[in-house]
Amino acid sequence: MTRWLSNVFRLGLKELRSLWADPVLILLIVYVFSIAVYSVATGAKLEVTNAAVAYVDQDRSALTGRILGAILPPQFKAAEEIAADEVEQAMDNGRYVFVLSFPPSFEADVLAGRKPQLQLNVDATAMAQAGNGAVFLQQIIRAEVAKFVSRLDETPELPIDLVVTTRYNPNLNSVWFSSVMQVINNITILSVLLTGAALIREREHGTIEHLLVMPVTPSEIMVAKIWANGLAIIIAAIFSLWLVVQTLLQVPIAGSIPLFIFGAALYLVSVTGLGILLATFTSSMPQFGLLALPVLVVMNLLSGSTTPMESIPDWLQFLMQAAPSTHFVSFAQAILYRGAGWNTVWPDMLVMAGLSGVFFLIALQRFRKTMATMH
């Protein structure tokens, strides 16, 4: 056992030196955990921001002016007036996300209680912005009409007191979500790519033949690649959470970083094993990239890091329970967002440990067969 551990340690040091000597991979790690996290978090926003609004006003009353005056930044740009016959073309050209059409005698019909129709055209190409923006506009219209009819400057008081408590993200800021999830997704991506690239690099440089004549076993080679590349990824992830997420983006981390690191280490065994498994089916980096790409896309999109698991069909939710990324995302969100402790996240950690063992054994068996065929 002592010799096995010694070989794993020395082979791991070799992997770290090989990684350090590859400037492309070093640059990739730095980019993925710094610029990529920051740019995605600040650029890919789900909130309604600067949405273009146009209106057709055939009434030109005080009520329509009041509604249009309530459409304000930062959610919306100042509303622009267009003619009724320009609506279709303006929407087709993508000039406006929302177009309001006020019919003639709109104010008079409202005051008479005749419930006139107010048309809101929505460009639903960008679904999140369109859906949220339409809700905001409906709220604005209802509030302004209610105040106008009651001749009050305040919305009529409801017969109930509705208290909304927004926890974990009080300002509903998508940066808080997307920045942390980008770090989590990048851990998955780099874990697969680095370990797979390490094995492919051994083949391309011919050093795999040197390992075959040394007194080392496939398990020692594989474990060395896992701990060396996993260590590099964990260090990069910690750096990203501290410098990019907490310092630059001012996103608070609620839970225990050491507990997160421990769970990430469990998770890395499975995804680094997956990277080695995929690499055994390929002979070059282009082949490995083509094989890894669809696997990574499915793992990330259906893990709960992009959309809630509840929105995925039941049968697909069941299948995704076999993916370690699903449990890692649940684990990471519980700790980093909600400040959960061991008593909350231990089920996910237990599943991750079990899946890591399964993935490791499958990858090891395949790796042994691959090594045997090279003798």
PDB file of all heavy atoms in Angstrom, residues 61-85:
ATOM      1  N   SER A  61     -55.428  60.715 -24.546  1.00  0.00           N
ATOM      2  CA  SER A  61     -56.121  61.216 -23.360  1.00  0.00           C
ATOM      3  C   SER A  61     -55.145  61.307 -22.197  1.00  0.00           C
ATOM      4  O   SER A  61     -53.977  60.896 -22.279  1.00  0.00           O
ATOM      5  CB  SER A  61     -57.275  60.276 -23.007  1.00  0.00           C
ATOM      6  OG  SER A  61     -56.774  58.976 -22.713  1.00  0.00           O
ATOM      7  N   ALA A  62     -55.653  61.843 -21.094  1.00  0.00           N
ATOM      8  CA  ALA A  62     -54.825  61.934 -19.886  1.00  0.00           C
ATOM      9  C   ALA A  62     -54.469  60.543 -19.365  1.00  0.00           C
ATOM     10  O   ALA A  62     -53.370  60.323 -18.836  1.00  0.00           O
ATOM     11  CB  ALA A  62     -55.578  62.722 -18.815  1.00  0.00           C
ATOM     12  N   LEU A  63     -55.382  59.569 -19.530  1.00  0.00           N
ATOM     13  CA  LEU A  63     -55.123  58.220 -19.032  1.00  0.00           C
ATOM     14  C   LEU A  63     -54.005  57.545 -19.815  1.00  0.00           C
ATOM     15  O   LEU A  63     -53.111  56.931 -19.228  1.00  0.00           O
ATOM     16  CB  LEU A  63     -56.403  57.387 -19.117  1.00  0.00           C
ATOM     17  CG  LEU A  63     -56.272  55.922 -18.689  1.00  0.00           C
ATOM     18  CD1 LEU A  63     -55.699  55.804 -17.276  1.00  0.00           C
ATOM     19  CD2 LEU A  63     -57.613  55.205 -18.793  1.00  0.00           C
ATOM     20  N   THR A  64     -54.031  57.663 -21.151  1.00  0.00           N
ATOM     21  CA  THR A  64     -52.962  57.052 -21.937  1.00  0.00           C
ATOM     22  C   THR A  64     -51.624  57.706 -21.629  1.00  0.00           C
ATOM     23  O   THR A  64     -50.580  57.044 -21.565  1.00  0.00           O
ATOM     24  CB  THR A  64     -53.263  57.133 -23.437  1.00  0.00           C
ATOM     25  OG1 THR A  64     -53.389  58.511 -23.821  1.00  0.00           O
ATOM     26  CG2 THR A  64     -54.543  56.398 -23.775  1.00  0.00           C
ATOM     27  N   GLY A  65     -51.637  59.029 -21.444  1.00  0.00           N
ATOM     28  CA  GLY A  65     -50.401  59.724 -21.084  1.00  0.00           C
ATOM     29  C   GLY A  65     -49.870  59.277 -19.743  1.00  0.00           C
ATOM     30  O   GLY A  65     -48.649  59.172 -19.537  1.00  0.00           O
ATOM     31  N   ARG A  66     -50.782  59.014 -18.823  1.00  0.00           N
ATOM     32  CA  ARG A  66     -50.369  58.564 -17.495  1.00  0.00           C
ATOM     33  C   ARG A  66     -49.732  57.175 -17.570  1.00  0.00           C
ATOM     34  O   ARG A  66     -48.728  56.911 -16.912  1.00  0.00           O
ATOM     35  CB  ARG A  66     -51.589  58.541 -16.577  1.00  0.00           C
ATOM     36  CG  ARG A  66     -51.279  58.187 -15.149  1.00  0.00           C
ATOM     37  CD  ARG A  66     -52.443  58.533 -14.257  1.00  0.00           C
ATOM     38  NE  ARG A  66     -52.094  58.365 -12.853  1.00  0.00           N
ATOM     39  CZ  ARG A  66     -52.763  58.917 -11.852  1.00  0.00           C
ATOM     40  NH1 ARG A  66     -53.826  59.679 -12.113  1.00  0.00           N
ATOM     41  NH2 ARG A  66     -52.381  58.732 -10.609  1.00  0.00           N
ATOM     42  N   ILE A  67     -50.312  56.279 -18.356  1.00  0.00           N
ATOM     43  CA  ILE A  67     -49.758  54.928 -18.503  1.00  0.00           C
ATOM     44  C   ILE A  67     -48.385  54.979 -19.152  1.00  0.00           C
ATOM     45  O   ILE A  67     -47.430  54.347 -18.686  1.00  0.00           O
ATOM     46  CB  ILE A  67     -50.722  54.044 -19.327  1.00  0.00           C
ATOM     47  CG1 ILE A  67     -52.010  53.806 -18.546  1.00  0.00           C
ATOM     48  CG2 ILE A  67     -50.053  52.717 -19.683  1.00  0.00           C
ATOM     49  CD1 ILE A  67     -53.088  53.090 -19.342  1.00  0.00           C
ATOM     50  N   LEU A  68     -48.267  55.762 -20.228  1.00  0.00           N
ATOM     51  CA  LEU A  68     -46.989  55.853 -20.928  1.00  0.00           C
ATOM     52  C   LEU A  68     -45.917  56.500 -20.062  1.00  0.00           C
ATOM     53  O   LEU A  68     -44.734  56.143 -20.137  1.00  0.00           O
ATOM     54  CB  LEU A  68     -47.164  56.642 -22.226  1.00  0.00           C
ATOM     55  CG  LEU A  68     -48.067  55.998 -23.282  1.00  0.00           C
ATOM     56  CD1 LEU A  68     -48.325  56.955 -24.441  1.00  0.00           C
ATOM     57  CD2 LEU A  68     -47.435  54.703 -23.793  1.00  0.00           C
ATOM     58  N   GLY A  69     -46.322  57.438 -19.223  1.00  0.00           N
ATOM     59  CA  GLY A  69     -45.363  58.089 -18.337  1.00  0.00           C
ATOM     60  C   GLY A  69     -44.839  57.188 -17.247  1.00  0.00           C
ATOM     61  O   GLY A  69     -43.800  57.483 -16.644  1.00  0.00           O
ATOM     62  N   ALA A  70     -45.555  56.090 -16.970  1.00  0.00           N
ATOM     63  CA  ALA A  70     -45.121  55.158 -15.928  1.00  0.00           C
ATOM     64  C   ALA A  70     -44.179  54.086 -16.461  1.00  0.00           C
ATOM     65  O   ALA A  70     -43.645  53.293 -15.679  1.00  0.00           O
ATOM     66  CB  ALA A  70     -46.344  54.499 -15.277  1.00  0.00           C
ATOM     67  N   ILE A  71     -43.989  54.037 -17.769  1.00  0.00           N
ATOM     68  CA  ILE A  71     -43.049  53.072 -18.369  1.00  0.00           C
ATOM     69  C   ILE A  71     -41.666  53.699 -18.351  1.00  0.00           C
ATOM     70  O   ILE A  71     -41.342  54.554 -19.175  1.00  0.00           O
ATOM     71  CB  ILE A  71     -43.486  52.707 -19.801  1.00  0.00           C
ATOM     72  CG1 ILE A  71     -44.890  52.101 -19.795  1.00  0.00           C
ATOM     73  CG2 ILE A  71     -42.499  51.749 -20.436  1.00  0.00           C
ATOM     74  CD1 ILE A  71     -45.461  51.841 -21.174  1.00  0.00           C
ATOM     75  N   LEU A  72     -40.849  53.290 -17.398  1.00  0.00           N
ATOM     76  CA  LEU A  72     -39.610  53.998 -17.101  1.00  0.00           C
ATOM     77  C   LEU A  72     -38.401  53.064 -17.122  1.00  0.00           C
ATOM     78  O   LEU A  72     -38.540  51.843 -16.979  1.00  0.00           O
ATOM     79  CB  LEU A  72     -39.710  54.657 -15.719  1.00  0.00           C
ATOM     80  CG  LEU A  72     -40.839  55.685 -15.532  1.00  0.00           C
ATOM     81  CD1 LEU A  72     -40.946  56.059 -14.070  1.00  0.00           C
ATOM     82  CD2 LEU A  72     -40.574  56.911 -16.390  1.00  0.00           C
ATOM     83  N   PRO A  73     -37.188  53.632 -17.286  1.00  0.00           N
ATOM     84  CA  PRO A  73     -35.958  52.857 -17.100  1.00  0.00           C
ATOM     85  C   PRO A  73     -35.847  52.424 -15.636  1.00  0.00           C
ATOM     86  O   PRO A  73     -36.484  53.033 -14.768  1.00  0.00           O
ATOM     87  CB  PRO A  73     -34.854  53.854 -17.476  1.00  0.00           C
ATOM     88  CG  PRO A  73     -35.543  54.919 -18.281  1.00  0.00           C
ATOM     89  CD  PRO A  73     -36.941  54.996 -17.723  1.00  0.00           C
ATOM     90  N   PRO A  74     -35.028  51.415 -15.317  1.00  0.00           N
ATOM     91  CA  PRO A  74     -34.118  50.704 -16.225  1.00  0.00           C
ATOM     92  C   PRO A  74     -34.773  49.513 -16.934  1.00  0.00           C
ATOM     93  O   PRO A  74     -34.160  48.917 -17.789  1.00  0.00           O
ATOM     94  CB  PRO A  74     -33.027  50.222 -15.281  1.00  0.00           C
ATOM     95  CG  PRO A  74     -33.744  49.968 -13.997  1.00  0.00           C
ATOM     96  CD  PRO A  74     -34.807  51.021 -13.911  1.00  0.00           C
ATOM     97  N   GLN A  75     -36.020  49.177 -16.552  1.00  0.00           N
ATOM     98  CA  GLN A  75     -36.658  48.030 -17.203  1.00  0.00           C
ATOM     99  C   GLN A  75     -36.973  48.314 -18.665  1.00  0.00           C
ATOM    100  O   GLN A  75     -36.829  47.445 -19.523  1.00  0.00           O
ATOM    101  CB  GLN A  75     -37.946  47.642 -16.465  1.00  0.00           C
ATOM    102  CG  GLN A  75     -37.745  46.981 -15.118  1.00  0.00           C
ATOM    103  CD  GLN A  75     -37.529  47.993 -14.021  1.00  0.00           C
ATOM    104  OE1 GLN A  75     -37.730  49.189 -14.244  1.00  0.00           O
ATOM    105  NE2 GLN A  75     -37.134  47.526 -12.844  1.00  0.00           N
ATOM    106  N   PHE A  76     -37.414  49.540 -18.945  1.00  0.00           N
ATOM    107  CA  PHE A  76     -37.863  49.864 -20.306  1.00  0.00           C
ATOM    108  C   PHE A  76     -37.202  51.139 -20.794  1.00  0.00           C
ATOM    109  O   PHE A  76     -36.859  52.022 -20.010  1.00  0.00           O
ATOM    110  CB  PHE A  76     -39.384  50.044 -20.338  1.00  0.00           C
ATOM    111  CG  PHE A  76     -40.156  48.880 -19.798  1.00  0.00           C
ATOM    112  CD1 PHE A  76     -40.654  48.893 -18.502  1.00  0.00           C
ATOM    113  CD2 PHE A  76     -40.384  47.761 -20.581  1.00  0.00           C
ATOM    114  CE1 PHE A  76     -41.364  47.817 -18.006  1.00  0.00           C
ATOM    115  CE2 PHE A  76     -41.093  46.688 -20.090  1.00  0.00           C
ATOM    116  CZ  PHE A  76     -41.585  46.710 -18.797  1.00  0.00           C
ATOM    117  N   LYS A  77     -37.018  51.202 -22.123  1.00  0.00           N
ATOM    118  CA  LYS A  77     -36.635  52.465 -22.733  1.00  0.00           C
ATOM    119  C   LYS A  77     -37.861  53.364 -22.824  1.00  0.00           C
ATOM    120  O   LYS A  77     -38.994  52.906 -22.665  1.00  0.00           O
ATOM    121  CB  LYS A  77     -36.073  52.214 -24.140  1.00  0.00           C
ATOM    122  CG  LYS A  77     -34.774  51.432 -24.181  1.00  0.00           C
ATOM    123  CD  LYS A  77     -34.314  51.244 -25.620  1.00  0.00           C
ATOM    124  CE  LYS A  77     -33.023  50.441 -25.684  1.00  0.00           C
ATOM    125  NZ  LYS A  77     -32.575  50.205 -27.090  1.00  0.00           N
ATOM    126  N   ALA A  78     -37.632  54.625 -23.064  1.00  0.00           N
ATOM    127  CA  ALA A  78     -38.758  55.541 -23.242  1.00  0.00           C
ATOM    128  C   ALA A  78     -39.612  55.069 -24.415  1.00  0.00           C
ATOM    129  O   ALA A  78     -39.094  54.754 -25.490  1.00  0.00           O
ATOM    130  CB  ALA A  78     -38.251  56.954 -23.487  1.00  0.00           C
ATOM    131  N   ALA A  79     -40.929  55.032 -24.195  1.00  0.00           N
ATOM    132  CA  ALA A  79     -41.837  54.528 -25.229  1.00  0.00           C
ATOM    133  C   ALA A  79     -41.845  55.459 -26.442  1.00  0.00           C
ATOM    134  O   ALA A  79     -41.854  56.685 -26.310  1.00  0.00           O
ATOM    135  CB  ALA A  79     -43.240  54.391 -24.661  1.00  0.00           C
ATOM    136  N   GLU A  80     -41.835  54.856 -27.646  1.00  0.00           N
ATOM    137  CA  GLU A  80     -41.837  55.612 -28.896  1.00  0.00           C
ATOM    138  C   GLU A  80     -43.179  55.432 -29.609  1.00  0.00           C
ATOM    139  O   GLU A  80     -43.705  54.320 -29.686  1.00  0.00           O
ATOM    140  CB  GLU A  80     -40.705  55.135 -29.810  1.00  0.00           C
ATOM    141  CG  GLU A  80     -39.316  55.299 -29.215  1.00  0.00           C
ATOM    142  CD  GLU A  80     -38.239  54.791 -30.142  1.00  0.00           C
ATOM    143  OE1 GLU A  80     -38.562  54.506 -31.329  1.00  0.00           O
ATOM    144  OE2 GLU A  80     -37.078  54.658 -29.706  1.00  0.00           O
ATOM    145  N   GLU A  81     -43.686  56.527 -30.137  1.00  0.00           N
ATOM    146  CA  GLU A  81     -44.973  56.455 -30.842  1.00  0.00           C
ATOM    147  C   GLU A  81     -44.756  56.039 -32.286  1.00  0.00           C
ATOM    148  O   GLU A  81     -43.846  56.519 -32.959  1.00  0.00           O
ATOM    149  CB  GLU A  81     -45.688  57.799 -30.786  1.00  0.00           C
ATOM    150  CG  GLU A  81     -47.081  57.744 -31.415  1.00  0.00           C
ATOM    151  CD  GLU A  81     -47.866  59.026 -31.232  1.00  0.00           C
ATOM    152  OE1 GLU A  81     -47.264  60.026 -30.779  1.00  0.00           O
ATOM    153  OE2 GLU A  81     -49.070  59.027 -31.564  1.00  0.00           O
ATOM    154  N   ILE A  82     -45.600  55.136 -32.755  1.00  0.00           N
ATOM    155  CA  ILE A  82     -45.577  54.714 -34.158  1.00  0.00           C
ATOM    156  C   ILE A  82     -47.017  54.709 -34.670  1.00  0.00           C
ATOM    157  O   ILE A  82     -47.974  54.734 -33.893  1.00  0.00           O
ATOM    158  CB  ILE A  82     -44.948  53.316 -34.342  1.00  0.00           C
ATOM    159  CG1 ILE A  82     -45.730  52.264 -33.556  1.00  0.00           C
ATOM    160  CG2 ILE A  82     -43.487  53.323 -33.925  1.00  0.00           C
ATOM    161  CD1 ILE A  82     -45.238  50.835 -33.793  1.00  0.00           C
ATOM    162  N   ALA A  83     -47.174  54.663 -35.982  1.00  0.00           N
ATOM    163  CA  ALA A  83     -48.506  54.613 -36.590  1.00  0.00           C
ATOM    164  C   ALA A  83     -49.052  53.190 -36.536  1.00  0.00           C
ATOM    165  O   ALA A  83     -48.295  52.215 -36.427  1.00  0.00           O
ATOM    166  CB  ALA A  83     -48.443  55.093 -38.043  1.00  0.00           C
ATOM    167  N   ALA A  84     -50.371  53.071 -36.628  1.00  0.00           N
ATOM    168  CA  ALA A  84     -51.009  51.760 -36.522  1.00  0.00           C
ATOM    169  C   ALA A  84     -50.564  50.813 -37.636  1.00  0.00           C
ATOM    170  O   ALA A  84     -50.436  49.603 -37.414  1.00  0.00           O
ATOM    171  CB  ALA A  84     -52.532  51.921 -36.542  1.00  0.00           C
ATOM    172  N   ASP A  85     -50.313  51.363 -38.827  1.00  0.00           N
ATOM    173  CA  ASP A  85     -49.923  50.499 -39.937  1.00  0.00           C
ATOM    174  C   ASP A  85     -48.437  50.122 -39.909  1.00  0.00           C
ATOM    175  O   ASP A  85     -47.963  49.406 -40.783  1.00  0.00           O
ATOM    176  CB  ASP A  85     -50.267  51.159 -41.275  1.00  0.00           C
ATOM    177  CG  ASP A  85     -49.609  52.536 -41.430  1.00  0.00           C
ATOM    178  OD1 ASP A  85     -48.903  52.976 -40.483  1.00  0.00           O
ATOM    179  OD2 ASP A  85     -49.807  53.159 -42.482  1.00  0.00           O
TER     180      ASP A  85
END
